[in-house]
DNA sequence: TGTACATCAGTGAACGCGCGTTCACTGATGTAC
DNA sequence: TGTACATCAGTGAACGCGCGTTCACTGATGTAC
């Protein structure tokens, strides 16, 4: 997926070792490095929304103007990174779900994958979900990963709470999905920002959260969570 | 947006009427105007975290340097505003609860006050809860409004789910409170950012959310919500 | 085989912008003698 | 009563900074003849 370069001082460029220009025909290499650098900075920065074009250039060890050969501006680069992260998250959730044939296991796996990804990569989570909606980022894509991700979660939840599909309307399932998603989002957001406040372990909160939204016993969910 | 539109009299100040210096002994007037202007801008701005000192000065119609007579820097001014907003929110929740003697009504009133305040003032909500935790903002205060607000919510919820106080531990009640708060936070955050995505009415979501966390029938909650 | 030219992958200096912060200052108003 | 001085509530110009963006350019490498 992402173009991986050989590890020749991959991190920040130090003075004394000036970057070597790529040979002809290898212009796409810098593009990959820009994407990697932006991703790293977005994940790392305290406030990822303050990322600048010059920071990315510095991280790669390249002149600021060099970015314009590959992206029209910083926001295009960031959007590209976010798209990749979004797809990564959607893929992780899908893979986690596929390893759990049981409907409850499916929901638990998706929720756990979402929350753990968000907690592991606070900067990326904040950039993706902290401000404008992901749909804003995915404008123009035929299949926004956001809708896929969310649609699958709605279906997964409905398969637990209404296995026969006779007890609820599509609107009701949609609303239940929104509530589950917003609960997960709030949990991840505040968990990432909780500072010095004492917080229970993430899995304990996830157990109760999923228990509330599925109506299943906490013990069942805790067991599934531990297995994921 | 023609740049000519921005005259020297920018902001709330009209260009024909330059601000008159306050008379001696009335130096605190500007302080109040700075607070008001910062509050207005924080509530208004698309991204409140980008507020600058010069924007506040422009809004009041004063030289940027004039702010230093009243606050050491912008963050001190913002912290002051946030403290006021925080106290306002805590007061609103307390007042709403006091109008509802019933325990379930108490929870519903608090949650509704929280969510409606957050949805009515997206900029303030985002500034308060969007990044670092409120406890960071309230460092140094003997009684942080945050802990009061949250502690009252925990107690209010426990009064519904465990009226006798025999079924749960303090830790369990704390955890249930965190889950309720994070759910509210996620709901408000994503509601404020939902853009073009179709969303159910806020009260419908609140009804189900409170229903999940209290275990009470949706009809009861909807009735209480409508009355608040 | 040499050589002229084209292309590629960037560079480096410069531009104007808004920003936070500093500093000496300015006028109006009060107060002491 | 007049007048010298002190204080208050700011002002206005300047500083250096990092930023996004532009532009002419530079070397190395390929290609045509």
């Amino acid at each position: 997926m992402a173009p991986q370069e050989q590890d020749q001082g991959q991190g920040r460029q130090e003075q004394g070792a000036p970057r070597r220009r790529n040979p002809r025909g290898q212009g796409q290499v810098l593009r990959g490095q820009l994407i990697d650098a932006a991703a790293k900075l977005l994940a790392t920065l305290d406030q990822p929304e303050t990322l600048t074009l010059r920071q990315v250039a510095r991280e790669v060890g390249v002149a600021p103007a060099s970015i314009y050969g590959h992206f029209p501006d910083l926001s295009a680069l960031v959007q590209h990174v976010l798209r990749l992260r979004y797809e990564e998250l959607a893929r992780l959730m899908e893979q986690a779900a596929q390893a759990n044939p049981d409907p409850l296991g499916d929901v638990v796996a998706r929720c756990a994958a979402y929350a753990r990804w968000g907690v592991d990569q606070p900067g990326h989570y904040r950039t993706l979900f902290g401000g404008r909606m992901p749909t804003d980022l995915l404008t123009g894509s035929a299949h926004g990963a956001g809708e896929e991700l969310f649609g699958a979660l709605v279906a997964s939840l409905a398969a637990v709470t209404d296995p026969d599909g006779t007890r609820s309307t599509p609107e009701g399932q949609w609303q239940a999905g929104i509530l589950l998603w917003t609960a997960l989002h709030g949990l991840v957001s505040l968990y990432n920002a909780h500072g010095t406040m004492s917080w229970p372990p993430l899995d304990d909160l996830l157990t109760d959260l999923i228990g509330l939204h599925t109506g299943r016993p906490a013990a069942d969910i805790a067991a599934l969570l531990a297995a994921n």
Side-chain angles (χ1 to χ4, degrees), chain A:
Chain A
M1 296 288 186
Q4 294 298 336
E5 259 315 276
Q6 295 211 344
D7 212 346
Q8 41 136 16
Q10 180 86 338
R12 166 167 289 132
Q13 281 294 119
E14 301 298 330
Q15 78 278 25
R19 192 192 121 96
R20 282 190 69 83
R21 199 180 286 240
N22 285 308
R24 289 194 88 190
Q26 301 301 311
Q28 298 309 304
V29 171
L30 175 55
R31 184 184 152 89
Q33 291 178 301
L34 291 172
I35 293 167
D36 290 349
K40 178 187 168 189
L41 289 171
L42 284 176
T44 301
L45 284 177
D46 210 36
Q47 290 173 252
E49 47 273 307
T50 65
L51 180 71
T52 66
L53 189 140
R54 289 176 110 104
Q55 283 180 61
V56 176
R58 247 179 269 132
E59 175 72 20
V60 179
V62 102
S66 305
I67 293 181
Y68 292 101
H70 298 278
F71 296 94
D73 55 17
L74 178 66
S75 96
L77 171 54
V78 169
Q79 289 203 25
H80 187 92
V81 172
L82 292 192
R83 168 71 64 88
L84 291 177
R85 295 293 116 181
Y86 216 97
E87 287 168 356
E88 175 186 275
L89 173 58
R91 183 165 28 83
L92 280 175
M93 289 177 70
E94 205 58 44
Q95 287 175 353
Q98 280 170 6
N100 288 268
D102 176 51
L104 182 60
D106 192 287
V107 175
V108 170
R110 283 180 200 277
C111 292
Y114 182 94
R116 286 169 183 162
W117 187 87
V119 167
D120 285 346
Q121 317 206 42
H124 282 142
Y125 189 84
R126 200 168 148 73
T127 312
L128 268 179
F129 299 109
R132 312 268 154 268
M133 283 285 278
T135 42
D136 282 10
L137 301 169
L138 300 174
T139 301
S141 69
H143 282 287
E147 294 182 21
E148 279 182 31
L149 185 157
F150 180 57
L153 185 63
V154 169
S156 176
L157 179 61
V160 172
T161 58
D162 185 14
D164 306 327
T166 56
R167 280 202 292 255
S168 59
T169 63
E171 290 77 21
Q173 293 179 4
W174 179 260
Q175 184 162 327
I178 284 188
L179 273 189
L180 175 55
W181 180 35
T182 56
L184 286 169
H185 171 67
L187 182 59
V188 171
S189 298
L190 291 179
Y191 190 93
N192 281 342
H194 74 294
T196 57
M197 194 174 159
S198 82
W199 269 56
L202 182 65
D203 274 16
D204 290 3
L205 292 165
L206 266 181
T207 301
D208 283 7
L209 189 157
I210 300 170
L212 287 178
H213 288 259
T214 59
R216 295 299 189 87
D220 295 4
I221 293 160
L224 284 163
L225 259 185
N228 265 274

